[in-house]
Amino acid sequence: MDTLIQQFRNLPTTAISDAMEGLNNLESAIKPLKEEFHFAGRALTVQMPVGDNSAVLKAIGDASPGDIIVVDSKGDTYRAIAGDFVVGMMQTMEIGGLVVDGVIRDLEAIKKINFPVFSKGTTVASSGKAGVGQTNIPISCGGVTVFPGDIIIGDIDGVVVVPQSMGEEILIKAKDKIMKDKLRAEKHAGKPEEIRKYIAMMTNKA
């Protein structure tokens, strides 16, 4: 894993989102299947038609260790884009995580293998394999455009996308935001008067 990705892995999505002024967050319905799931990695994008996960299988074969497979499945919540067998293959291939604007199935088994999956939920119906779909092209996932190689970070609060050309800039801004928040918290901890001053300052800005 490159050093940039390693550094993003240690940052909360909230700070990264703040560094991008609240932009590039996937819609809030896309959540981790387990609260402790988190990841950071480069996007390997998949565009699949509803009900055909052939392109997801192709992505697994093409992926490098640590890649995050990001799937545009048109928001479909009837047919799962993957179950425990497919997710198990992702884990074996050392893929970093799965993000889908849709659903998966075999929830209990996926939780047991402890592979980070972020989706809109689960269903019982599987996808077919007609052999259509594309990988490594620009897609839309959760209302955000994702390009191959973009940096994808996910944790309990959701998923955020950092354009690869902005990685260093956003990393610096996110770290600065965390430091400022820490100093602010220390300044106001246990000090009601400081809190009142802060509230007055913020509410009088208009």
Side-chain angles (χ1 to χ4, degrees):
M1 185 182 295
D2 63 54
T3 56
L4 186 64
I5 297 299
Q6 288 176 338
Q7 292 181 78
F8 271 113
R9 180 183 287 272
N10 295 322
L11 301 181
T13 54
T14 49
I16 299 166
S17 174
D18 288 348
M20 292 192 293
E21 300 182 355
L23 302 176
N24 276 32
N25 309 315
L26 270 58
E27 63 178 89
S28 60
I30 299 174
K31 291 292 188 184
L33 298 187
K34 291 174 69 175
E35 289 188 354
E36 60 265 35
F37 282 165
H38 69 279
F39 59 67
R42 301 279 179 180
L44 196 169
T45 58
V46 177
Q47 186 178 76
M48 58 169 277
V50 172
D52 181 358
N53 70 350
S54 301
V56 175
L57 299 180
K58 183 179 186 304
I60 295 172
D62 293 343
S64 298
D67 282 350
I68 308 299
I69 293 181
V70 185
V71 182
D72 171 13
S73 61
K74 310 297 184 287
D76 178 54
T77 57
Y78 185 81
R79 291 190 178 274
I81 68 101
D84 60 337
F85 176 67
V86 171
V87 171
M89 289 195 293
M90 293 181 187
Q91 186 175 58
T92 300
M93 299 300 286
E94 300 182 350
I95 291 166
L98 170 65
V99 179
V100 54
D101 187 3
V103 292
I104 56 87
R105 68 176 193 166
D106 302 322
L107 176 61
E108 183 176 0
I110 291 173
K111 284 184 174 182
K112 284 181 179 178
I113 66 174
N114 215 36
F115 182 85
V117 173
F118 286 60
S119 74
K120 286 184 171 180
T122 61
T123 186
V124 296
S126 67
S127 285
K129 293 169 179 61
V132 291
Q134 294 178 277
T135 63
N136 272 325
I137 62 170
I139 64 169
S140 176
C141 184
V144 176
T145 299
V146 183
F147 291 86
D150 282 350
I151 302 168
I152 313 296
I153 306 97
D155 62 20
I156 189 173
D157 286 306
V159 180
V160 64
V161 180
V162 178
Q164 56 182 323
S165 63
M166 299 176 65
E168 295 284 355
E169 174 189 349
I170 298 303
L171 181 67
I172 292 169
K173 287 183 177 180
K175 287 183 174 180
D176 183 60
K177 178 65 166 57
I178 291 170
M179 181 57 66
K180 287 180 179 177
D181 285 350
K182 180 180 179 183
L183 293 174
R184 186 184 299 119
E186 291 174 350
K187 178 181 178 181
H188 295 92
K191 300 174 183 176
E193 284 306 316
E194 287 294 332
I195 292 174
R196 291 189 183 96
K197 288 178 183 178
Y198 174 76
I199 293 172
M201 178 184 70
M202 298 303 293
T203 54
N204 289 331
K205 277 188 174 182

